[in-house]
Amino acid sequence: GEDVEQSLFLSVREGDSSVINCTYTDSSSTYLYWYKQEPGAGLQLLTYIFSNMDMKQDQRLTVLLNKKDKHLSLRIADTQTGDSAIYFCAESSVDMRFGAGTRLTVKP
Amino acid sequence: ETGVTQTPRHLVMGMTNKKSLKCEQHLGHNAMYWYKQSAKKPLELMFVYSLEERVENNSVPSRFSPECPNSSHLFLHLHTLQPEDSALYLCASSQAARVSEQYFGPGTRLTVT
């Protein structure tokens, strides 16, 4: 089946930039998403990008899409301790598929 | 209430019990979903409802029984569960089934003893 892959862990220092990477296999993906999950909570939609775009910026968040390599990244500028959470990449073509999530730890 | 709400937030049940999880969306969406989130596993899509019709059932055991009485409410009826069913059960909704962004509830943490 089609897969969405992410590295499981990322640790950064407060104030640094974080870059979370994701690869997917379905070339017919129409939208790609980033969700954030804090402890004990559901998934919160952070941002999404249409497959014909290569970049989207929203305040501290920058999404980059390389459709040729099927690579998606989320950059968080000036990372804060409140950004510590699990970040899920997801793609949709017929169904939405999620990666396993990247746990971001922000150290003071 | 706003967004997607789920009750209860926590549930402990024995293997012989029957219980139900409830989800309500206040977003005017037409599609609703049940997901299972287990430790160290990707999110598993269980059921998809579009305009109250079930459009997907991903090989889920019959001990899980969904019900969608209207486009705002979704239930998951549970009976004779197994310990491996312990997980976070997440409900989500979207404007249209599958292709539009999904909004999630906070989940129900289920423990089967």
Side-chain angles (χ1 to χ4, degrees):
Chain A
E2 305 292 355
D3 286 328
V4 180
E5 305 249 346
Q6 301 177 240
S7 53
L8 294 181
F9 302 98
L10 176 66
S11 178
V12 301
R13 293 229 169 262
E14 192 173 18
D16 288 350
S17 291
S18 308
V19 179
I20 303 171
N21 294 300
C22 170
T23 57
Y24 59 98
T25 56
D26 189 345
S27 56
S28 63
S29 297
T30 49
Y31 286 94
L32 297 115
Y33 305 85
W34 284 104
Y35 284 85
K36 176 184 180 183
Q37 186 178 34
E38 297 184 73
L43 275 66
Q44 174 197 351
L45 178 65
L46 285 179
T47 186
Y48 62 92
I49 188 168
F50 188 50
S51 59
N52 69 354
M53 298 170 63
D54 50 23
M55 188 182 94
K56 181 179 181 181
Q57 186 148 5
D58 183 0
Q59 299 182 329
R60 290 191 299 123
L61 305 179
T62 303
V63 178
L64 295 177
L65 174 62
N66 181 327
K67 196 172 180 182
K68 173 176 167 288
D69 294 338
K70 300 190 188 67
H71 182 268
L72 182 73
S73 68
L74 174 69
R75 179 176 179 268
I76 306 172
D78 187 25
T79 313
Q80 302 298 306
T81 53
D83 295 322
S84 292
I86 302 175
Y87 290 81
F88 292 88
C89 164
E91 59 87 16
S92 69
S93 49
V94 174
D95 287 314
M96 185 174 280
R97 289 185 183 82
F98 289 81
T102 299
R103 183 179 294 277
L104 173 65
T105 302
V106 182
K107 298 179 179 177
Chain B
E1 294 277 18
T2 59
V4 181
T5 57
Q6 290 186 242
T7 54
R9 293 294 310 276
H10 301 271
L11 178 61
V12 179
M13 59 186 288
M15 289 192 284
T16 57
N17 291 160
K18 290 184 180 181
K19 296 285 184 184
S20 295
L21 310 185
K22 180 183 175 183
C23 175
E24 185 172 359
Q25 59 97 0
H26 309 268
L27 299 168
H29 288 164
N30 294 313
M32 297 186 78
Y33 311 76
W34 279 117
Y35 286 88
K36 177 182 178 184
Q37 187 178 32
S38 307
K40 299 178 184 175
K41 291 176 75 174
L43 216 56
E44 299 173 54
L45 177 63
M46 300 175 74
F47 302 104
V48 181
Y49 275 83
S50 176
L51 297 170
E52 301 136 49
E53 298 276 337
R54 189 191 311 181
V55 297
E56 187 159 339
N57 176 349
N58 278 347
S59 303
V60 178
S62 59
R63 56 186 184 269
F64 294 92
S65 173
E67 179 191 0
C68 188
N70 55 62
S71 59
S72 298
H73 293 86
L74 185 65
F75 295 88
L76 188 63
H77 304 299
L78 316 171
H79 63 99
T80 58
L81 294 192
Q82 305 298 309
E84 61 265 28
D85 297 323
S86 298
L88 182 68
Y89 288 85
L90 292 164
C91 174
S93 71
S94 65
Q95 186 58 47
R98 298 173 172 147
V99 296
S100 51
E101 64 273 20
Q102 296 177 21
Y103 294 85
F104 283 78
T108 296
R109 173 68 63 188
L110 173 67
T111 303
V112 181
T113 60

